[in-house]
Structure formats: structure tokens, C-alpha cells
Amino acid sequence: MENQARIPVHVSIIMDGNGRWASQRGKERVQGHIEGTERVPEITAECARLGVKYVSFYTFSEENWNRPKEEVEFLMKLMWKSLHDKLEEMMNQGVKFLILGNRERLNPMLRSYIEEVEKVTATNSTITAILFLSYSGKWDILQAAKSLAREAASDPDVLSRLDSMTQDDFSRYLVTRDVPDPDLIIRTSGEKRISNYLLWQGAYSEFYFTDTLWPDFHKENLREAITEYGSRDRRYGKVK
Ligand code: IPE
Ligand code: IPE
Ligand code: MG
């Protein structure tokens, strides 16, 4: 597969199925989250080896705040702990981290830790790993519209350019402004929905759905997804 010309620039993963993985084994849901977290560095390393430049993970959605308080607290602690435990390995591999989402909802300690991780990895260049945390597609589009409205209200130049504004111009207000749109979106666990993920950015992404639960998704599974991506015909609405 390595010789194949079509390696996606940006692979994005809706990492789903941790709870089911745990309950199939008679374990608590959190055990599934712990095991699932282990796949993130593994998949990141494999993406880097294959020449993927951006890999992103839907880590926690805005809607996931509605889960039981204990699960949410566990997930936030796990986020902090896994970043902390894997940071050295990620530094050695040249991984640059971006954490994107509604930071205002995060605990201030996690927020400042995230900022530190972004800062120390900022000059790494092998691959960029994006963790979408407290993220949703509709939230992103709305926050973009709000910042544009604020700018237009205070800057007559911005207001005068509104009519000629393009989709590319608008996308610079999204939190993904520094990230190319995903070429391939993988969803594990058999669900076939977008769950409020990259609604704008995924407009022309290829989708790959697999029944494999996220804690069971290893590098071989990633390679299968990328092979299938290589056979897709991306037409972008045109006639070929
Ligand atoms: C994905 O696994 C992790 C998060 C959404 C945080 P789930 O926790 O959604 O697992 P299932 O879907 O209940 O099996
Ligand atoms: C999507 O999974 C969100 C993440 C993977 C972080 P969910 O488990 O929250 O999605 P739904 O509720 O099944 O749509
Ligand atoms: Mg789920």
C-alpha cells in the first residue's frame, strides 16, 4: 500500500464504541475509554509513517457534556493524564498538537495544560495531531459567524467587504483555520452518522464506516481504510 499514490493529507476519526467495547467484556465504560486512549498514539504514529500530514480525533463533543457527571469528569482527567504520559513519546516522534473546540467550558487547569502542550509542540513538523475537544460543527460555524459579526460591527473595512466574502474567507473564522479539510473521515463502531462533527469542513470528505469498536482499531484497520480511500473517485460535483 505504501507505493500507492493516494495517501490522504488529513485523516479524521470519529472514535466511537468505547462503552460497548467495555460492556462486551463485562467492564465499566471507563475501561473502554482507557483502552481507546491507547489507540491515539498508535494511529498517529502509523499515519506519520504513511505520510499523512494531519490526523484528527473527535475526542469529546459538545453534546458529550450531557453524559453522567462522573463519566465527563473521568474523561477530562483521562485527557489530561494521557497528554501528560504520552508527551515525551509524541515529542520524539515530531508530533505537533492542536486542541480545538469550546475551551471556555473546560476546567481552567486542563485549559492551561492544553495551551502548554500546544506551545511545546508548536515547532514539531512530522505530523499535526488535532484533538477536537468540546467541539461540535454547529458550535464552530456559530462562533465563526459571531466573530465575523463582531469584526464587522467594529471595523468598517470588514463590513464593506461582506458582499464579496468567499467561502474560503469565511472558513478562516472557523477554529480549523490552520488545518486543511479532512480528505477521509473514519467512524468506528458501526454508527453511520456525523454526530455534529466537521459539518463545514467535511463537505467533500470521503467517509469510511467500520463495525470495529475504537479500542480494537489498530494500525492494520487504518491501512484498510486508507487503501479503500485510494480507490474512491472524488468528483467534487464535476463530470469526469
Ligand atoms: C466514544 O465512545 C468516546 C466518546 C464519545 C467520548 P462512546 O463512549 O461513545 O462508546 P459507545 O458509543 O457508548 O459504545
Ligand atoms: C461521537 O460519538 C462523539 C465522539 C466520538 C467524541 P457519540 O457516541 O457521542 O455519538 P452519538 O451520540 O452516538 O451520535
Ligand atoms: Mg458512542
Side-chain angles (χ1 to χ4, degrees), residues 12-29:
S12 192
I13 305 179
I14 302 175
M15 41 203 297
D16 199 10
N18 292 351
R20 278 163 282 171
W21 182 90
S23 58
Q24 281 174 9
R25 285 162 180 75
K27 295 178 179 184
E28 296 290 327
R29 288 179 58 82

Side-chain angles (χ1 to χ4, degrees), residues 49 72 109 137 206 221 238 240:
R49 199 182 69 79
V72 170
M109 284 212 341
E206 294 296 326
N221 304 84
K238 298 175 193 160
K240 270 200 180 162

Side-chain angles (χ1 to χ4, degrees), residues 207-225:
F207 283 84
Y208 179 86
F209 297 106
T210 172
D211 287 339
T212 304
L213 303 172
W214 173 246
D216 290 328
F217 191 90
H218 292 277
K219 49 183 193 254
E220 301 73 30
N221 304 84
L222 174 81
R223 289 203 289 264
E224 249 172 61

Side-chain angles (χ1 to χ4, degrees), residues 14-20 29 33 64 67 71 187-189 191 193 195:
I14 302 175
M15 41 203 297
D16 199 10
N18 292 351
R20 278 163 282 171
R29 288 179 58 82
H33 296 316
N64 288 151
R67 291 191 176 195
E71 182 166 340
R187 183 167 188 152
T188 60
S189 90
E191 308 299 353
R193 54 178 170 260
S195 298

Side-chain angles (χ1 to χ4, degrees), residues 40-52:
V40 175
E42 179 181 337
I43 295 300
T44 302
E46 186 64 7
C47 280
R49 199 182 69 79
L50 294 170
V52 171

Side-chain angles (χ1 to χ4, degrees), residues 11 31 39 65 68 88 98 122 129 133 144-145 147-148 150 198 200 203 208-209 219 227-228 234:
V11 174
Q31 295 300 321
R39 297 293 85 74
W65 288 110
E88 197 181 330
L98 287 179
L133 179 61
S147 26
L148 173 60
R150 268 184 227 109
L198 297 168
W200 173 286
Y208 179 86
F209 297 106
K219 49 183 193 254
T227 301
E228 176 163 333
R234 301 184 79 184

